[in-house]
Amino acid sequence: MTSVDFISIFCLCGIDLQHKIYEFEKSMRFNLSLTKTAITATVATISLSFFGSNAQAALLIGNIDNGTVANQGNQVNGSDNEFVSFTTPDDGITRIVDDITVQLSNSFGTASFDATLIWFDDSLPASGDPTGVTSTIAIGTQSVSVTAGQPTNAIFTPGTDLILQPNTRYGFRLNGTPGSGLTWLSQFTVAGDFDSTYESDVNATFLRAYRTNDGGTVWSVQTSQRIFEINVSTVPEPGTILGIVGIGLLGLSSTLKNKNKD
């Protein structure tokens, strides 16, 4: 074999070896990419499964489920609006509103009216009085068919996340079609009793009910207890989310170590 033949064979072997190394590295990158994708999908699945099964739904405040029976009705139409306020529990837990239910009726006959709910964010005074408060969020309007003497529960589901911080005052305002007979049902017990019918799964505190006859310039406190309820779910703690992400990172780290050993 001449020196030229030897050099040719050496070059060919070198090219083949380089090609094999390239193919091996490409395969490793592809497999690693698949591994990362699989781990990411697994973490997402675990997160959804965990949060879905551990979201703790609860009654924040209300008096519908306990069978409170209305003996009064207060019209909500145009400039006549009703408002209720409450304080979230001082337990360090952040919550999100699932839905709000108000019990309605009609002053005469049967008809469909528009009921509008407006949420008042965390800027209420200690009394819960909405006078002058401008931090509000429109929850929505829905058409409600109501009959005189028959309570109808209208359920509002927020179109945006209403996050409730602990130990904070919130409230909502109810309005209806101007000139209609739409009424928000309530129960009067005795003078000075503002909250005896209300219950809470989480120790939230009812503050007061208020009414305005001029569209919201002047509000007066009401004794009769409006019939409604607010259901909430617990927002997962940041530490819980980080823990789930950490599981995924540990899995990725283990996979990388096994690949390196191979």
Side-chain angles (χ1 to χ4, degrees):
M1 179 182 293
T2 66
S3 60
V4 174
D5 293 333
F6 179 80
I7 292 173
S8 297
I9 293 171
F10 179 81
C11 289
L12 288 173
C13 290
I15 292 172
D16 184 66
L17 179 60
Q18 184 178 11
H19 178 72
K20 289 184 180 298
I21 291 173
Y22 170 76
E23 289 295 327
F24 176 75
E25 289 179 343
K26 185 170 70 172
S27 175
M28 286 290 291
R29 286 195 297 270
F30 178 74
N31 290 334
L32 183 56
S33 175
L34 287 178
T35 301
K36 289 180 178 178
T37 301
I39 289 175
T40 301
T42 300
V43 171
T45 301
I46 292 174
S47 299
L48 289 173
S49 175
F50 181 86
F51 294 149
S53 62
N54 288 274
Q56 298 178 2
L59 171 67
L60 179 71
I61 192 81
N63 57 358
I64 291 180
D65 286 347
N66 64 10
T68 297
V69 178
N71 54 21
Q72 286 188 356
N74 306 88
Q75 288 194 347
V76 281
N77 50 22
S79 59
D80 296 331
N81 290 200
E82 298 271 309
F83 179 84
V84 292
S85 54
F86 58 90
T87 303
T88 53
D90 187 11
D91 56 6
I93 297 176
T94 302
R95 296 176 172 86
I96 186 169
V97 175
D98 295 330
D99 55 66
I100 302 169
T101 301
V102 292
Q103 195 168 97
L104 305 174
S105 188
N106 187 13
S107 297
F108 41 83
T110 299
S112 292
F113 303 118
D114 287 339
T116 302
L117 214 60
I118 299 176
W119 185 260
F120 279 57
D121 219 351
D122 55 355
S123 53
L124 293 169
S127 63
D129 187 340
T131 302
V133 176
T134 58
S135 179
T136 61
I137 301 172
I139 294 179
T141 299
Q142 62 173 281
S143 180
V144 184
S145 179
V146 288
T147 300
Q150 296 182 13
T152 299
N153 291 336
I155 303 174
F156 292 81
T157 302
T160 186
D161 289 344
L162 298 180
I163 305 298
L164 307 182
Q165 300 299 331
N167 194 29
T168 306
R169 293 180 290 273
Y170 297 94
F172 67 88
R173 173 179 181 172
L174 181 67
N175 192 10
T177 303
S180 70
L182 188 65
T183 60
W184 188 357
L185 296 179
S186 61
Q187 184 187 88
F188 176 81
T189 55
V190 295
D193 177 14
F194 298 97
D195 58 7
S196 65
T197 66
Y198 295 108
E199 295 182 344
S200 172
D201 291 341
V202 295
N203 295 319
T205 305
F206 183 78
L207 291 174
R208 291 289 187 273
Y210 289 86
R211 179 175 178 81
T212 181
N213 300 113
D214 60 9
T217 301
V218 178
W219 292 88
S220 58
V221 67
Q222 304 291 294
T223 301
S224 60
Q225 298 169 43
R226 276 53 180 172
I227 299 179
F228 75 96
E229 71 177 26
I230 302 174
N231 293 303
V232 296
S233 293
T234 301
V235 176
E237 293 293 330
T240 302
I241 299 174
L242 291 175
I244 291 176
V245 174
I247 293 173
L249 293 177
L250 286 174
L252 177 60
S253 175
S254 176
T255 301
L256 289 176
K257 287 181 180 178
N258 290 334
K259 289 288 183 183
N260 290 332
K261 289 179 180 178
D262 295 339

